[in-house]
């Protein structure tokens, strides 16, 4: 009985691995970028990225603009949210346990705003010029 159950488990794992290999790997760099703009008049913004790759960029903007690259392969059950509540920008995205997806974010904030990453002081990366160049073909999802 143990060997039959073990054999089924091994076969299921092999089948799942085959599906992932055949469908390819998700790559955020291949995803169509989407952007969302949030009004913000605070002095400090705490970006909660939940360990997702997130570039924080100082810009000449008066609002906060978030760009998301989210690539999801067939069969994945993705979940994603990006919301600004008071002084906290919460970025979340992912897929189920065995799903194949990849995500990254870029957050542009006014130069006058102090930015925290997950509650801790952080340095801003990138530049506004690089951000603009990287965003050709971006879909605007509004606020």
């Amino acid at each position: 009985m143990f060997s039959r159950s073990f054999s089924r488990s091994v076969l299921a794992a092999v089948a799942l691995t085959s599906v992932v290999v055949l469908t390819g790997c998700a790559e955020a760099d291949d995803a169509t970028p989407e952007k969302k703009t949030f009004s913000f008049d605070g002095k400090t913004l705490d970006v909660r990225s939940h360990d997702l790759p997130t570039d924080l960029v100082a810009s000449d903007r008066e609002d906060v603009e978030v760009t998301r690259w989210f690539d999801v392969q067939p069969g994945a059950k993705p979940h994603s949210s990006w919301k600004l509540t008071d002084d906290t920008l919460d970025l979340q995205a992912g897929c189920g346990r065995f799903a194949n997806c990849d995500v990254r974010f870029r957050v542009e904030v006014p130069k006058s705003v102090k930015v925290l990453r997950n509650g801790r002081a952080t340095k801003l990366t990138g530049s506004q010029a690089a951000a603009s160049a990287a965003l050709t073909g971006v879909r605007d999802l509004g606020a």
Side-chain angles (χ1 to χ4, degrees):
M1 178 123 179
F2 173 75
S3 63
R4 176 181 276 172
S5 175
F6 180 75
S7 295
R8 286 183 183 159
S9 296
V10 169
L11 286 174
V14 168
L16 181 60
T17 302
S18 298
V19 168
V20 170
V21 169
L22 291 175
T23 59
C25 293
E27 291 287 334
D29 290 340
D30 295 337
T32 300
E34 301 170 306
K35 72 177 178 176
K36 198 170 189 181
T37 304
F38 300 94
S39 295
F40 186 73
D41 58 1
K43 300 292 181 206
T44 302
L45 178 66
D46 186 8
V47 178
R48 300 289 173 151
S49 60
H50 306 280
D51 295 323
L52 298 171
T54 304
D55 290 328
L56 304 174
V57 180
S59 74
D60 293 326
R61 309 185 64 82
E62 293 183 13
D63 53 16
V64 173
E65 184 176 84
V66 180
T67 305
R68 174 182 64 192
W69 292 263
F70 193 22
D71 187 25
V72 179
Q73 293 297 307
K77 294 181 181 175
H79 58 86
S80 179
S81 67
W82 41 358
K83 61 185 176 183
L84 179 63
T85 305
D86 298 324
D87 65 347
T88 302
L89 177 64
D90 190 54
L91 308 173
Q92 296 193 35
C95 292
R97 286 179 18 165
F98 298 110
N100 188 0
C101 65
D102 189 31
V103 67
R104 72 180 167 91
F105 290 93
R106 178 179 199 86
V107 180
E108 293 184 49
V109 298
K111 289 179 182 176
S112 62
V113 172
K114 177 181 177 182
V115 178
L116 307 176
R117 184 185 303 262
N118 301 315
R120 296 186 173 159
T122 188
K123 291 184 179 179
L124 300 181
T125 60
S127 68
Q128 185 176 359
S132 297
L135 300 180
T136 56
V138 175
R139 246 184 345 187
D140 189 351
L141 300 179

